[in-house]
Amino acid sequence: MSRRNFLAGAPALGFVPATKKLKVVVAGGHPGDPEYGCGGTIAKYSGLGHDVTLLYLNRGEKGCPGKTPKACGSTRVAEAQRACEILKAQARFADETDGQAVVDQAHYEAFRRILESEKPDVVFTQWPIDNHRDHRATSTLIYDAWLRMNKRSALYYYEVSDGEDTLMFHPTDYVDITQTEPRKRTACYAHASQSPDRFYSLQSQVAHFRGIESGHAQAEAFIRQTASPGNFLP
Ligand SMILES: [Zn+2]
């Protein structure tokens, strides 16, 4: 069965079928964004044998006070690679510059080529209403690539550092991460340069609240894009 047929035949409210190995791409502005927003869900996908790529818009090279951008970028790439090892995922970088995301014709095309080369069945990106411009840019670039790829993959938005970054997020779907939260936590703490005590504490409060909403101890919440084919959450 081709992927197109598979997606066309997918139930509106289904589950990840055991027989199909999915390619999952989780995009984020900086190293750490996909892990904080979706780490429990990523661990579930990889635990089920699916391929997951974490696609970072930049290397977070402005995020280490007192370090040069080059040194900071190296530190954060190493942290991202360690986080991906913990989540059994691959790291990929889109080579934009931290804090200076460019969204124009050339960058739309470059980003689409990257996403297309991953041949994704499921794509996650940051919610576009966010206080950080790199997060907003990531969302815009993914949405445009998804349209140009004829809406072939399932598309979901995730939340990160609510109130500080993500705003006005009203979930449509939830994933129970009670079992995978310890791996998510370890992956987030791999970003040791990024004050994990502070930011994981906030994300953990969100996971408990999303758990209350959805009837689990802890959950990650998503907004499913309208016209996204099927439901491919684990
Ligand atoms: Zn970020």
Side-chain angles (χ1 to χ4, degrees):
M1 183 183 276
S2 73
R3 183 175 68 225
R4 185 178 295 272
N5 288 342
F6 173 82
L7 289 173
L13 284 172
F15 52 90
V16 178
T19 51
K20 159 87 176 171
K21 185 170 183 170
L22 297 172
K23 182 61 196 274
V24 180
V25 173
V26 185
H30 311 97
D33 286 318
E35 296 91 321
Y36 274 77
C38 312
T41 301
I42 293 166
K44 282 184 106 165
Y45 276 122
S46 62
L48 290 165
H50 302 297
D51 281 336
V52 187
T53 295
L54 274 53
L55 172 58
Y56 307 104
L57 188 66
N58 62 57
R59 290 171 169 75
E61 64 270 23
K62 295 222 179 97
C64 321
K67 275 194 178 181
T68 65
K70 190 166 183 230
C72 183
S74 304
T75 298
R76 298 196 65 187
V77 166
E79 290 174 346
Q81 280 163 346
R82 177 71 191 124
C84 284
E85 272 171 35
I86 291 161
L87 294 172
K88 296 185 172 37
Q90 310 291 318
R92 189 164 178 183
F93 295 86
D95 293 331
E96 288 231 27
T97 302
D98 188 4
Q100 296 175 27
V102 180
V103 179
D104 63 7
Q105 190 66 30
H107 288 80
Y108 276 130
E109 288 307 312
F111 200 79
R112 178 189 56 74
R113 281 195 294 274
I114 292 172
L115 190 64
E116 208 153 41
S117 72
E118 293 287 333
K119 299 183 172 61
D121 299 296
V122 191
V123 177
F124 293 84
T125 190
Q126 296 189 256
W127 176 242
I129 310 300
D130 189 295
N131 284 330
H132 200 304
R133 59 176 62 157
D134 291 347
H135 300 173
R136 297 196 298 273
T138 304
S139 197
T140 298
L141 290 165
I142 283 281
Y143 184 66
D144 191 80
W146 180 76
L147 289 177
R148 282 164 192 278
M149 290 161 64
N150 296 318
K151 309 177 186 175
R152 284 199 299 269
S153 53
L155 177 60
Y156 298 94
Y157 301 93
Y158 65 84
E159 58 187 337
V160 68
S161 295
D162 297 59
E164 298 212 14
D165 290 337
T166 300
L167 302 168
M168 300 171 68
F169 191 86
H170 303 292
T172 59
D173 292 83
Y174 298 84
V175 172
D176 175 7
I177 64 158
T178 310
Q179 301 300 322
T180 53
E181 187 276 336
R183 260 175 71 204
K184 171 181 181 171
R185 174 186 292 263
T186 308
C188 290
Y189 270 80
H191 295 279
S193 71
Q194 300 302 304
S195 313
D197 280 336
R198 175 177 169 223
F199 287 108
Y200 197 79
S201 164
L202 170 56
Q203 202 69 35
S204 183
Q205 288 181 57
V206 172
H208 283 92
F209 179 71
R210 296 308 185 196
I212 292 168
E213 284 185 323
S214 60
H216 306 292
Q218 295 197 60
E220 285 169 348
F222 302 97
I223 293 175
R224 180 173 166 267
Q225 172 66 45
T226 304
S228 171
N231 187 342
F232 292 86
L233 294 176

